Amino acid sequence: MDDALVAYGAGHADGKAGVNDSGRAVNPQTGADYLVGIVDGQIAAFEEALIAAIRKAMDDKASDGPGI
């Protein structure tokens, strides 16, 4: 179980960073956990970018002035 959690954590970090370790992905014991971590990390990175873009858009709109 510890190996699976470590593989998931590494995959999550790699997914957020936009990298992939093909050696870990094909490991018969922990490859699936690593790949799930990759996907979760990519989703987390997308969510962070989306929230940042929404905040920027809201800030830009607020600076347009009243009534806009």
Side-chain angles (χ1 to χ4, degrees), residues 13-39:
D14 286 353
K16 281 186 81 169
V19 297
N20 186 345
D21 183 348
S22 59
R24 283 185 163 174
V26 298
N27 183 313
Q29 283 86 21
T30 59
D33 300 307
Y34 176 77
L35 292 173
V36 169
I38 287 273
V39 172

Side-chain angles (χ1 to χ4, degrees), residues 8 11-18 36-52:
Y8 173 84
H12 193 274
D14 286 353
K16 281 186 81 169
V36 169
I38 287 273
V39 172
D40 285 348
Q42 290 172 337
I43 291 169
F46 171 77
E47 288 174 343
E48 290 174 7
L50 180 62
I51 289 170

Side-chain angles (χ1 to χ4, degrees), residues 50-65 68:
L50 180 62
I51 289 170
I54 291 170
R55 286 187 176 146
K56 182 181 181 322
M58 297 300 288
D59 287 345
D60 288 349
K61 185 171 179 148
S63 66
D64 285 343
I68 295 176

